[in-house]
Amino acid sequence: MSGTGLNGPTNYINKYLNDFMKHFRVLLINPPNSVPIKSNFVINVFQPLGLAYVASSLEKHKYSVEIFDALALGFDQEKIIASRKVIGADYQTIKNKIIDYRPDLVGIATPFSFQSFESHQIAKIVKKINPKIITLAGGTHATIQPDEMLNDKNFDYLIRGEGEYATVELLKALEKKTSLKNISSLSYRNKQNKIIHNPRSLPIQKLDALPFPARHLLPMDKYLQAAKKGRVVEGMLAFGHKRTSIFTSRGCPFNCTFCSVHLTMTRMWRGRSPENVLKEIKECVYKYGIKYFDILDDNFTLDPKRAKKICRLIIKEKLNIQWSTPNGIRADRVDETLIKLMKKAGCIQVKVAPESGSPLVLKNIIKKHLDLDMVKKTVSLCKKHHLSVEAFFVVGFPEETIDDIYKTISFAKELRRLGCDYCYFFIATPYYGTEMYADAVKKGYLDESRYHLNKIITTTNKSLLKSPNYTHKKLFELLKVAAKVNPPITKIRLKSGLKMLILDPKRILTYSFGYLRNFLP
Ligand code: SF4
């Protein structure tokens, strides 16, 4: 019945109102990424789903919005700027984009602390072009260290935590010039130049009510190009496939002392309905031709019943997709039926995260409260159903002993014997805002001479902590011992490596060199 006399005047009035109340133009930027020149850290492309979620909410409210994923658009460009290796579109290109688009507001993502350097650079560029353009910071680092971000006067506003509703509220308030006091999760400087943090909003309860991330604003072709060169996060898995990331839930109710998930996504776990998840998967498959999904949830299987239903729906629809859970699942939240269904629904790999092989460390130091027998059981089940499984471990907690670290290495060996394909060992990082950070400060474990490193580099292979039980050198030696629990090369890596050798030989040489160093004496 559209186009009838009844709808005509309504459309006309809406159009008139839209024109009359000119909406802000919004540009959301995922900055390039950079590391110090000497760092071996490989910068890979990731899809900025947080920005895409904010973008779709803004579109729903009729804002003109674009996303400029500088990291993806220039993933194959490397420049040396001020002793840093910068990957991504160069500053001039970003500047041109801002000038061309003429935004009223630029939102800048800062998902990682070591990416904050680039976020500040972008904010500076924006203000140089036109100081009247409003700048807004968001993302994990901005949420955790809002003062650090807002001390840079190039940032006007900052949203902590989930940004979908708060960004819309902020734009409305700025347009109507109304008070900012009641906008939950907003941080800003008041007229006296004092930084104000409004209280955090409650976690978004009805995730189904959010529009799907605005993938149509992301450079999907660039992610495919990057995947074909192994330049995407988790790129070895389903190497070169057209892929996307997806969140089916947010938050985690557990209290692991080193984990920062609750600071952004809260301890309230919220799952999308299986039907809503399936709808997004289908959109990705049919609209973008995507066949591989990284389910980025922190706790995909927390509600096993829901996870099973998602799998059943994927199977029923015969979508023929592949997927994995790169952030890990709780080994105590799966059973054999779920593993079977996951495999049948296209899951090609799960990651479990025992973190430590020492029950004392798990209970008293990191408070993970995970039964190691459950981890073994889950690994065995995965192998029984031909599902690749890898495990995450963390060592280097200050009160951990050398004996504890050896227990972790032994446990990793045991998992390998049960069929675990690979064990990752990271060095404990005291992320700002976590219980582990507070404890390290209180007890003097924080290595002040190194802590600044978290701003310039990923620190999962560098200790920022001092332990009374071992030196940095000893820890590094133990990590080399730990690395030997893994085979020199896994089947998945070998397959991907051969493909990469053809597509990007220079990169495979750099990658192999870094990897093989683990096995040198
Ligand atoms: S480490 Fe995993 S289980 Fe622990 S709090 Fe973080 S997300 Fe939850």
Side-chain angles (χ1 to χ4, degrees), residues 457-469:
I457 192 172
T458 178
T459 47
T460 44
N461 62 354
K462 240 183 192 55
S463 184
L464 308 181
L465 295 160
K466 292 177 285 191
S467 167
N469 300 325

Side-chain angles (χ1 to χ4, degrees), residues 457-515:
I457 192 172
T458 178
T459 47
T460 44
N461 62 354
K462 240 183 192 55
S463 184
L464 308 181
L465 295 160
K466 292 177 285 191
S467 167
N469 300 325
Y470 44 80
T471 59
H472 288 318
K473 191 167 169 260
K474 181 69 189 169
L475 184 61
F476 200 66
E477 279 167 21
L478 289 168
L479 272 176
K480 286 201 164 189
V481 176
K484 292 195 172 90
V485 311
N486 290 310
I489 190 130
T490 62
K491 232 175 13 183
I492 289 175
R493 282 184 167 75
L494 181 64
K495 225 169 106 187
S496 311
L498 289 173
K499 284 187 195 166
M500 205 197 282
L501 189 61
I502 300 164
L503 295 166
D504 195 351
K506 189 180 154 207
R507 183 169 157 79
I508 192 72
L509 286 176
T510 320
Y511 186 85
S512 308
F513 180 69
Y515 180 73

